[in-house]
Amino acid sequence: MTQNTAHYFDWAATSPADSDILRAALEKTLHTFGNPSSIHAEGKKARALLDEARTSCAKTLGLKPDQIIFTSGGTEADHIPLLSLLTKPSRGKILVSAIEHPALREQCAMLSKLGYTVEQISPDKNGFIQPAALAEKITPDTQFVTVMAVNNETGCIQDIYAIADAITAASAGKRKPHFHVDCVQAAGKIPLDITYRGIDSAAFSAHKICGPRGIGLLYLAKPIQPFLVGGGQEQNIRSGTENVFGALAFAECLNRYYIKKLKASAIAGADAQTAEGQKHFVQQTKWTRAFIEHIAAIKGCTLVPAIRTNDTYTDKFSPYVIQAAFKNIPGNVMVRALDAKGFCISTGSACSAKKQSRPILQAMGISRDVQDTAVRFSFGAHTTEQGMDDLLAAIKEVCAIF
């Protein structure tokens, strides 16, 4: 890494690229310019590199290579399984958590206009989707269920494994609905096991873990019928000439930063494949605890949700995302004030930055005053303890003015 990212705290929006990884991937593809679908020598060279990337991703994620579909990003990886519903003869029900990223929440709303019954699953006051509450809403015509692994605004870790079990149990004796998990904010931020039985698909994005923009990955437990078709690339699931450079870079970023789901006692251990990601996860957990303790002590500060101040719930949240509100300081004012001091934060999802509404906080029952003053601090693989100390000092300076 060559960028100066010490005061960058908007990793949930995008991450600074790992320049070493991107340069290595670019170097390979500069000399291998063929189309992977071409059958001549240059095409075969490109195909070999694409296969290399797919095999590497599969090894890191614990999957089979044919379960990996390269896409243009996390949004497309979310859309492919959802839009496959349009190939089915009937219009059934879709269950979507009320705290999903707009990529899914807004697309589900669009499908409701096409005749699908879309029902939102509300979180509890702390931002968690309760498996039992979701299971109660599953009916024989439920075709699709989607719940994100880590919320991009609050850092809540959803229990996707318990949710998968609840969906399976509620569907006993009848067709199980497809269960999709958006892992965009989870990869490289919490230990994951997407091979868990009952998870049918999962979406990933490279630019959230130091990779390039414009490349994503879709895990499919088994093939589906895509709604959008074309040249038949990516096993007929995602047509379009493949981004070989992006795939190579993404594969190496996963190799370096992805954290496999391990036993609690092994999290701090040294797994050769994910040592860098694991090591930082452990450090960040400690730093975030201290950061929360300090900002919670600032007069007028409210953590969202409030239980983040309770160490009992530490493992229920990603240490890489914190939402906090500062009384009488509008969120956009705090963002600009810290920006003037050289610190980058946000008020929430970059995809909704120009909108005034905060649907995730609203779904949690957060008051309007807190919604208006809430900001997000998000961290990443190259965040440092000193950088977080600097951020804390800057926040205190801004709060002292108000």
Side-chain angles (χ1 to χ4, degrees):
M1 296 285 291
T2 58
Q3 302 96 331
N4 180 12
T5 60
H7 291 166
Y8 181 73
F9 299 103
D10 198 19
W11 286 72
T14 194
S15 63
D18 188 312
S19 53
D20 293 337
I21 289 177
L22 267 64
R23 285 194 185 98
L26 181 60
E27 187 65 25
K28 282 187 176 182
T29 51
L30 282 175
H31 300 289
T32 309
F33 54 84
N35 187 318
S37 296
S38 299
I39 61 174
H40 49 59
E42 288 300 331
K44 290 178 180 178
K45 289 179 184 178
R47 171 59 58 181
L49 288 182
L50 188 64
D51 290 343
E52 174 189 321
R54 198 184 312 278
T55 299
S56 176
C57 290
K59 181 179 179 182
T60 300
L61 299 175
L63 306 174
K64 299 175 182 177
D66 63 3
Q67 292 178 311
I68 289 175
I69 307 298
F70 288 117
T71 69
S72 64
T75 294
E76 188 180 28
D78 281 331
H79 285 179
I80 289 173
L82 178 60
L83 294 181
S84 71
L85 294 177
L86 293 170
T87 68
K88 300 183 182 301
S90 62
R91 298 288 193 258
K93 184 162 78 171
I94 299 169
L95 297 179
V96 55
S97 86
I99 55 172
E100 290 302 294
H101 186 275
L104 281 161
R105 190 177 64 246
E106 297 299 325
Q107 190 60 63
C108 286
M110 182 62 70
L111 287 178
S112 71
K113 298 178 181 180
L114 299 179
Y116 288 88
T117 300
V118 176
E119 190 167 353
Q120 289 195 350
I121 309 300
S122 297
D124 62 22
K125 65 180 182 180
N126 295 315
F128 298 103
I129 301 297
Q130 296 300 324
L134 185 152
E136 288 178 356
K137 295 183 178 293
I138 293 178
T139 53
D141 66 336
T142 303
Q143 296 177 317
F144 196 90
V145 179
T146 181
V147 179
M148 68 196 326
V150 172
N151 185 263
N152 54 300
E153 292 194 22
T154 65
C156 292
I157 299 174
Q158 304 304 324
D159 194 343
I160 57 174
Y161 313 112
I163 291 172
D165 288 342
I167 293 171
T168 300
S171 306
K174 48 186 178 290
R175 179 184 53 78
K176 185 184 87 66
H178 184 106
F179 179 38
H180 176 74
V181 180
D182 184 328
C183 292
V184 170
Q185 291 292 347
K189 307 294 178 63
I190 65 168
L192 275 175
D193 176 17
I194 59 169
T195 67
Y196 193 85
R197 184 176 180 181
I199 297 177
D200 300 300
S201 60
F204 297 84
S205 180
H207 79 99
K208 304 293 189 180
I209 54 171
C210 302
R213 298 176 179 86
I215 183 72
L217 184 155
L218 169 65
Y219 155 63
L220 286 176
K222 58 183 179 181
I224 59 173
Q225 177 62 52
F227 175 69
L228 299 177
V229 296
Q233 293 89 342
E234 293 300 296
Q235 304 169 63
N236 290 313
I237 300 296
R238 194 271 180 183
S239 293
T241 302
E242 300 92 340
N243 179 354
V244 180
F245 157 74
L248 284 169
F250 196 1
E252 187 54 36
C253 286
L254 281 173
N255 183 55
R256 183 169 297 183
Y257 301 112
Y258 188 76
I259 308 170
K260 296 178 181 177
K261 184 174 175 59
L262 304 170
K263 294 180 180 179
S265 61
I267 290 297
D271 180 307
Q273 188 180 31
T274 58
E276 190 166 338
Q278 271 179 221
K279 181 180 179 181
H280 195 272
F281 173 76
V282 174
Q283 292 174 327
Q284 188 64 54
T285 299
K286 180 178 69 173
W287 300 339
T288 296
R289 283 180 178 175
F291 185 82
I292 286 174
E293 181 180 346
H294 288 300
I295 64 169
I298 297 175
K299 185 178 180 180
C301 177
T302 300
L303 270 293
V304 182
I307 62 167
R308 290 213 70 169
T309 59
N310 188 333
D311 283 348
T312 304
Y313 296 93
T314 295
D315 63 350
K316 301 295 184 182
F317 294 88
S318 167
Y320 291 90
V321 179
I322 296 174
Q323 182 95 198
F326 298 87
K327 190 175 182 179
N328 298 325
I329 308 178
N332 58 358
V333 172
M334 177 62 84
V335 170
R336 290 198 296 268
L338 287 177
D339 186 42
K341 293 178 177 292
F343 295 84
C344 300
I345 68 163
S346 70
T347 55
S349 171
C351 299
S352 303
K354 295 181 180 180
K355 300 178 181 178
Q356 297 300 315
S357 63
R358 300 296 297 274
I360 291 172
L361 302 188
Q362 186 176 350
M364 293 168 59
I366 302 300
S367 70
R368 187 71 240 186
D369 287 347
V370 172
Q371 290 182 44
D372 291 342
T373 56
V375 293
R376 179 183 69 186
F377 307 105
S378 54
F379 319 113
H382 299 282
T383 296
T384 65
E385 184 175 21
Q386 182 60 56
M388 293 187 69
D389 288 343
D390 294 342
L391 172 62
L392 178 63
I395 294 170
K396 289 180 177 179
E397 290 175 2
V398 173
C399 290
I401 297 173
F402 292 84

